[in-house]
Amino acid sequence: QKEVEQDPGPLSVPEGAIVSLNCTYSNSAFQYFMWYRQYSRKGPELLMYTYSSGNKEDGRFTAQVDKSSKYISLFIRDSQPSDSATYLCAMIKNYGQNFVFGPGTRLSVLP
Amino acid sequence: EAQVTQNPRYLITVTGKKLTVTCSQNMNHEYMSWYRQDPGLGLRQIYYSMNVEVTDKGDVPEGYKVSRKEKRNFPLILESPSPNQTSLYFCASSLYGVSNQPQHFGDGTRLSIL
């Protein structure tokens, strides 16, 4: 079993839709959680990071962490065609700098 | 401009021929890391470095070597490449390697080992 699983996608939504992207993990040692966005032929870029269980909002993006269920989500409100990309969840253990990424979910927002 | 530069961007080579992929950052970052990205498997960390002369294995270090002799450079060395190392490789850096500091990624190096 992989340490981090992610909804495989691909996911296609109409412009303006609310998008939900999800990851689950198996190791309770993961304490820091991040979401990266990767455009085609580019390296990933950090969207959001969080440590605590609960919600964290940044503009149209909300990151949600449920440590008891080992489940994290990224919500995108009012999705735009420019949001079309692959979204990667990532996490690191409390005691190290070894980043573990999910396999990614490819999102297409159709105008 | 703050950036992570990888070279080459594309390389086709043959099994067993030693190769080096260079990575350089101009942000004075202490933390640097190498990843490989494969379909369905996502990004997997190969090696990372907390500072000069400090390196550690990630999840998939077999067949790779790294060195960190200077803060700005973190080359990835494949001593005897094999076809299973055909992949898209990314170098990244961040100030200290913790979650709230973004990792800046290069644009990737696509390696094909025949």
Side-chain angles (χ1 to χ4, degrees):
Chain A
Q1 183 190 6
K2 294 178 188 171
E3 279 194 295
V4 180
E5 305 267 10
Q6 190 169 353
D7 291 347
L11 189 59
S12 287
V13 301
E15 184 174 354
I18 297 174
V19 177
S20 171
L21 302 165
N22 307 296
C23 282
T24 58
Y25 60 97
S26 57
N27 192 335
S28 58
F30 288 125
Q31 296 293 325
Y32 299 90
F33 306 94
M34 296 142 277
W35 284 95
Y36 279 79
R37 177 176 61 196
Q38 185 178 20
Y39 290 115
S40 182
R41 297 190 186 87
K42 288 291 187 182
E45 55 181 334
L46 181 67
L47 270 180
M48 299 196 67
Y49 69 90
T50 185
Y51 170 75
S52 307
S53 281
N55 293 351
K56 181 177 181 179
E57 192 172 316
D58 183 1
R60 295 185 296 110
F61 299 92
T62 300
Q64 187 177 80
V65 174
D66 182 347
K67 288 186 179 179
S68 62
S69 301
K70 298 190 181 67
Y71 189 90
I72 68 171
S73 297
L74 178 71
F75 298 97
I76 306 174
R77 289 184 299 282
D78 187 26
S79 55
Q80 303 294 309
S82 59
D83 295 328
S84 298
T86 297
Y87 290 81
L88 304 157
C89 63
M91 45 199 80
I92 55 178
K93 300 182 179 106
N94 199 30
Y95 48 82
Q97 283 75 33
N98 176 205
F99 284 76
V100 180
F101 282 78
T105 299
R106 189 168 180 177
L107 171 67
S108 295
V109 180
L110 308 174
Chain B
E1 181 190 348
Q3 58 186 4
V4 176
T5 304
Q6 295 178 228
N7 280 297
R9 292 291 312 279
Y10 303 92
L11 180 63
I12 301 174
T13 188
V14 296
T15 298
K17 186 176 181 183
K18 180 180 177 180
L19 67 91
T20 299
V21 184
T22 63
C23 175
S24 181
Q25 50 94 2
N26 63 359
M27 296 165 279
N28 203 35
H29 284 168
E30 293 192 355
Y31 181 92
M32 297 186 75
S33 182
W34 275 104
Y35 298 88
R36 59 178 290 174
Q37 188 171 35
D38 302 288
L41 297 176
L43 278 165
R44 292 180 292 167
Q45 195 169 36
I46 302 170
Y47 270 95
Y48 60 95
S49 169
M50 296 299 297
N51 212 327
V52 175
E53 302 292 3
V54 181
T55 63
D56 209 345
K57 295 178 181 178
D59 292 322
V60 289
E62 295 78 19
Y64 304 95
K65 282 177 57 177
V66 293
S67 69
R68 187 92 182 272
K69 292 183 171 48
E70 306 164 283
K71 201 170 190 178
R72 64 182 292 128
N73 296 322
F74 191 44
L76 180 70
I77 302 155
L78 284 72
E79 293 269 4
S80 183
S82 62
N84 64 11
Q85 293 176 298
T86 292
S87 187
L88 178 59
Y89 291 85
F90 287 100
C91 179
S93 74
S94 70
L95 192 55
Y96 296 123
V98 294
S99 65
N100 64 339
Q101 290 162 2
Q103 287 195 77
H104 296 262
F105 282 80
D107 283 337
T109 295
R110 189 166 290 281
L111 281 183
S112 293
I113 316 291
L114 305 177

